[in-house]
Amino acid sequence: MKFFNLVWRNVFRKKTRTVLTTGSIVLVLVLIVVLTCLLQAMEQDPSGNRGSNRLVVQHATGLANFLPLSQRQRIEQIPGVVAVSPQIWFGGVYRDDKPENFFGQLSCDPEIFFTKLFDDATIDPAIEKEFRATQNSFVAGQSLVNKFHWKKGEHIMLRGTYIPVTLDLVFVGAYRSGDESNAFFHNEYLNQAKWFGANRVTGIYYLKVADAADLPRVTSTIDKMFENSDAPTKTLTEKQFQASFMEMMGNIKGLIRWISLIILFAVTLIVANTVAMSARERVTEISVMRTLGFRPGHILGFILSEAVLMSLLGGLLGVVLAKYLFVPGMVKGMATTPMAPFLINFKVTGSVLLAAFLISVGVGVLAGFVPAIRSSRIRIVDGLRQVV
Amino acid sequence: MAEPLIAIEHVEKVYRRDALEIPVLNDVNLEILQGEFVSLMGPSGSGKTTLLNLIAGIDQPTRGRIVIGGKDIARIGQSELARWRSRTVGFIFQLYNLLPVLTAFENVELPLLLTPLKRAERRRHVETALKIVSLEDRMDHYPRQLSGGQEQRVAIARAIVSDPAILVADEPTGDLDAKSAEEILVLLNRLNAEFGKTIVMVTHDPKAAARAHRMVHLDKGVLHADEQTEAGAARKA
Amino acid sequence: MAIPIKYNARNLVNRKVSTGMTVLVICLVVTVFLFVLALWQGVNRTLSVNASTRNVLTMRVGSQAEMQSVVTRDAYEMIRALPGIERNAKGEPLVSPELLTLINIPRQDGKSSNVQIRGVGPVGFEMRPGVRIVDGRIMNPGTNEAIVSKNLATRFAGMGIGDRIKSGAFRWIIVGHFDGSGSAYESEIWVDAKDLQAQSKRPIFSSVFVRASDPDAAARYIETVKGDQRLKLEGKTEKKYYEEQMVTGAPIKVLAILVGVFTAIGASFGAMNTMYAQVSARTREIGTLRAIGFSRRSVLASFILEALLLCVAGGIAGTTLAFILFNLILTKPTGTMNFRTFSEVLFNFRLTPPLIAGGIAFSLAMGVFGGFFPAWRASRLKITTALREV
């Protein structure tokens, strides 16, 4: 620690240079944090990564096809199944056609939905009770409520797209969970609207199994049961179901990974160049220190510490700026794109920040390594004569 | 006669540049006693700085022995040599070579960071050293805020702060005006007389050389003359 | 009097490591930037190319995509009788009732995606001259035959001629590959409309395509449909319909801007550092140049020029790298989700000449930004102090 002062002073030897280098680290880290959060938001797991023992049954051909409601009872009878709720993705238009006003609207069976099925969500029992009792009510994720500022008792209109009816729903309260981007309303209310599939079909079945060990068995039982019917099914775990949307995003995930890696490499080069320039200008000084009795290991440590310290400063600043300035800005920037529904789950988690911080340390070590070794190997007499 | 503090025996130094071998020192023998003040003289390229570097242990000879305080420093490893330097030798450069990012105090403190001394002890040592060079009032100045003579005095304080037995100086007055140069030479004489430091100084200035007890002349890597100065004669007497 | 450019070039070559690293940084940044832009361009081109202003989609009011729409047989018959519709050689009106649905099929990479399957009739082909069979033959009605785009065949598994598509209750046999001239149809599987109605048990259509005799007639047709209370349908030109789907590319555009701006500033900081180091290392040289008689302006220009050389070298390298990447490695079409249809839209990375120019301009901008401040410092040096510098 007694050497810290020396390292610190050397980091700020040329202020412009340090500010510029730190600046480039800040920019890159902000970018990485934003991109990582974007990936995380798209991959949001409703159970908050705890695993949920939940399955989604969809039509084997894909989501665009309906399943007959008659399947519900047969699924419920499979041993190990705790609760089944038919659900319909309404996909209605709220306010106007703009993508930023789009959000997940799902019908459900309110009797069991929060109590037996989506039971890792947190909801006030009074709200849950009111939701059950009021047929035209809806509940929504807290983040979604924050976005639209819904008040209790407020009515919203959802104009159907592929289901040609308009719903008039009244807001009763919010729930909290890993995925707070959806609104839920009664299956029965949708049926009352007398659309072409009312009381006949559903989009998916959302179900819960008592024991995680039963998931594979239940999955194959369901799919076998309907294999040769008019509506064959494809049963997925909740996580797989979410992932299937991500897969649809194509290679965006891989793309973001590659971009992150390449720009990290680029910033490592920038830092390495800075450290190398700084070390080259100090050849004489380094030799003087060696003359005073500092060993090659000391010099190595000093140069490496300078690189790491500089990266760390950049990392710290980058993480703070990302969290308080750029991520909120990013959410705004994407608000008018179809990414908006995903961004409801956009949060800067501690683990992302920690990872970004560690990455900055890694950049410092990688960047400082070569110049540090070169500096430590300078022959004192050459350095004093400045021939290096 | 007393055992010499520094004994240089049949030392040769050859530099290699690509395939070319350039002999710099050729069979040099020299003994320096404890408490002596020796100046090394010679034209440029004579090998005087190389000899000084060998004595200071920042370079090692191609052949021969350099025994200092009973230890042959031509044969020891780099890490041990570094430790040995920090305890035994203080180096004074022509261009002072202070670290611009550190204050006078911090520059002098630098060698002490290699010792297990506590912060308070280090402070005491640094203050003592700066007092000896009469710069105790400039402790918090940065090198660029000091004159050349002052910078060289800080450099001397840095050289003596860990109380080494030997001081080596490479043209310590070469970049200074006459008045500052005189101050430095007086200081070196004082360190020699009062604190018993053995001093080896490279210079091409005969007036500066005359301040030493002995003048050793080198030419083309060979030791030419080794004469006692008036100061040396006076000391003996 | 200008300082010869040779002087800058030699200086850059002299410090190989530092120059090399800076050039590499700029190169990477330009490549990444072009990559994201090419992606965005690819999506947009797919959704805009060959989209006609004379082909009008007729869908249920409020539908955002064909798939969400329902048009009955009766409505189709009524549309056939509307004025302003072009007729073919046989005198039939160019009206194509089509049915769309999604199927989830495996990709070659082992994952799976939703793909639109379109039921069309012979008139549908007549209306879209951009769609041509390149391999095999056209499907015959009543045989459950399908044709797939050649792009789709490279991205999805089991899409060769003679292969069978099996998904849920759907069973199709592939008899041909078609080329859609880069349009959105290249993301689709085409089958006979009646076959699709039978297999999906839906005796309806999703949309009705109408070819108007000219753009004005198209506008009039749209008005007529809007005014007809019996139909409850609305018309949209193909061009407008796909323009609305371009929101799909919007997140990529935001991504491109974000990545572009951040990395560009970061990289020019790196270039600036290199140039500042040069100015301080060459202080004496600058003093000498000034003493010889070069003006402040010449010094300023010379250092900016050097930064530009540095960055353009990186820009050219980056563009070349992107070119190699797109033409040798990323030749297969890639896909992303079309947010309107929830199906995959296929596209190719496109490195268009404007994009290449953009990449070079991007590196020039970094050069100007990164070079100006160091050059300014160099031009402001006092000759006397500069010459005294060691």
Side-chain angles (χ1 to χ4, degrees), chain A residues 66-373:
Chain A
F66 291 111
L67 294 169
L69 275 173
S70 57
Q71 289 175 336
R72 178 179 184 176
Q73 219 183 351
R74 296 187 61 190
I75 296 171
E76 277 171 344
Q77 282 163 358
I78 297 169
V81 173
V82 178
V84 182
S85 169
Q87 290 196 289
I88 287 176
W89 171 266
F90 187 65
V93 175
Y94 175 56
R95 287 185 184 159
D96 52 37
D97 209 6
K98 289 192 187 124
E100 66 258 42
N101 288 331
F102 186 79
F103 59 95
Q105 305 141 10
L106 287 147
S107 68
C108 68
D109 179 349
E111 292 308 315
I112 50 154
F113 191 68
F114 282 105
T115 48
K116 290 187 178 159
L117 194 50
F118 194 22
D119 54 359
D120 43 18
T122 317
I123 184 164
D124 184 331
I127 293 173
E128 199 270 338
K129 212 172 146 205
E130 197 178 345
F131 172 57
R132 260 196 279 176
T134 323
Q135 205 181 58
N136 66 339
S137 68
F138 79 103
V139 290
Q142 186 64 53
S143 304
L144 191 63
V145 175
N146 295 345
K147 177 175 173 182
F148 290 113
H149 310 291
W150 288 322
K151 303 273 175 313
K152 190 172 179 347
E154 184 174 339
H155 282 255
I156 65 164
M157 305 293 269
L158 299 177
R159 182 165 55 80
T161 48
Y162 71 106
I163 296 176
V165 296
T166 297
L167 301 180
D168 175 0
L169 296 167
V170 57
F171 180 60
V172 290
Y175 69 86
R176 305 221 60 145
S177 87
D179 179 359
E180 297 184 350
S181 62
N182 294 315
F184 295 100
F185 57 95
H186 291 211
N187 274 329
E188 205 44 44
Y189 183 64
L190 188 57
N191 284 333
Q192 304 260 310
K194 300 243 176 340
W195 63 292
F196 56 84
N199 291 313
R200 205 167 52 78
V201 294
T202 184
I204 57 162
Y205 291 104
Y206 192 44
L207 63 103
K208 188 172 173 96
V209 172
D211 187 353
D214 282 341
L215 288 171
R217 180 179 55 80
V218 173
T219 303
S220 63
T221 311
I222 296 172
D223 288 347
K224 277 220 182 74
M225 194 180 270
F226 303 115
E227 200 174 3
N228 296 311
S229 74
D230 281 351
T233 58
K234 183 163 153 197
T235 306
L236 301 166
T237 63
E238 186 169 41
K239 214 171 164 124
Q240 285 169 338
F241 182 70
Q242 299 272 338
S244 70
F245 286 97
M246 274 307 293
E247 281 176 24
M248 293 275 302
M249 296 291 295
N251 310 337
I252 294 240
K253 200 167 140 184
L255 182 81
I256 290 180
R257 289 243 164 88
W258 274 107
I259 291 177
S260 303
L261 269 180
I262 293 173
I263 57 180
L264 272 180
F265 179 59
V267 82
T268 307
L269 287 178
I270 293 178
V271 178
N273 205 7
T274 307
V275 177
M277 285 190 294
S278 164
R280 213 175 305 138
E281 288 162 5
R282 269 192 286 156
V283 166
T284 309
E285 254 180 76
I286 287 166
S287 302
V288 169
M289 291 186 65
R290 291 285 315 280
T291 305
L292 295 181
F294 285 89
R295 291 187 294 281
H298 283 120
I299 306 298
L300 185 103
F302 291 154
I303 305 280
L304 201 58
S305 307
E306 276 175 42
V308 171
L309 191 59
M310 199 151 59
S311 302
L312 224 87
L313 286 175
L316 204 62
L317 203 60
V319 161
V320 170
L321 284 180
K323 178 152 173 68
Y324 295 103
L325 192 66
F326 287 97
V327 168
M330 162 90 179
V331 172
K332 261 206 172 122
M334 286 263 188
T336 53
T337 74
M339 287 302 294
F342 291 107
L343 296 182
I344 289 184
N345 290 321
F346 205 103
K347 285 189 196 83
V348 189
T349 58
S351 58
V352 170
L353 294 182
L354 186 70
F357 197 64
L358 290 179
I359 283 172
S360 70
V361 176
V363 166
V365 173
L366 279 177
F369 208 65
V370 176
I373 287 188

Side-chain angles (χ1 to χ4, degrees), chain B residues 32-54:
Chain B
I32 297 170
L33 300 179
Q34 165 92 47
E36 257 193 309
F37 185 169
V38 177
S39 60
L40 289 176
M41 298 191 69
S44 44
S46 61
K48 55 188 192 302
T49 295
T50 302
L51 185 58
L52 190 77
N53 288 345
L54 293 177

